[in-house]
Amino acid sequence: MTSPTQVRIDSDVKREATVLFANLGLDMSSAVNLFLFQCVLRGGLPFNIEMPNYNKETIEAMMEAKKISSDPSVKGYSSVEEALDALKEE
């Protein structure tokens, strides 16, 4: 028997997780069920909870990268060579 459950999830995280799970052949419901099953099986979370020790510059770089990656007007490249060729043209 299954029981419906509602959870609030950040929209960006949900979108990224949905793509990840689809690549693994899972839907959101199956992935959440796997997570909960592992929690019950292990008697806790199935991974360590840690606070990363990133410095300010690293955090700013990660935020900038996330912003750039979600901007549809930013040109992407499929190889380093392609990016270098584009820089030479500028």
Side-chain angles (χ1 to χ4, degrees):
M1 174 177 6
T2 61
S3 176
T5 302
Q6 276 188 311
V7 295
R8 296 203 179 277
I9 303 170
D10 177 85
S11 298
D12 292 335
V13 171
K14 181 180 179 184
R15 183 179 15 62
E16 292 176 24
T18 299
V19 170
L20 171 68
F21 297 150
N23 288 333
L24 295 171
L26 299 168
D27 60 13
M28 183 66 71
S29 182
S30 298
V32 170
N33 274 304
L34 282 170
F35 169 74
L36 295 175
F37 180 79
Q38 285 296 311
C39 289
V40 171
L41 182 69
R42 295 168 187 260
L45 294 174
F47 47 81
N48 293 329
I49 304 295
E50 300 171 350
M51 291 297 296
N53 253 347
Y54 300 129
N55 63 33
K56 182 180 174 188
E57 292 80 17
T58 301
I59 293 170
E60 289 172 355
M62 290 188 303
M63 289 172 39
E64 181 181 8
K66 186 170 184 167
K67 181 180 171 188
I68 290 170
S69 70
S70 63
D71 185 346
S73 67
V74 173
K75 168 91 170 95
Y77 303 97
S78 57
S79 69
V80 172
E81 291 79 18
E82 186 180 345
L84 290 173
D85 289 343
L87 284 172
K88 290 175 187 174
E89 292 174 8
E90 291 184 3

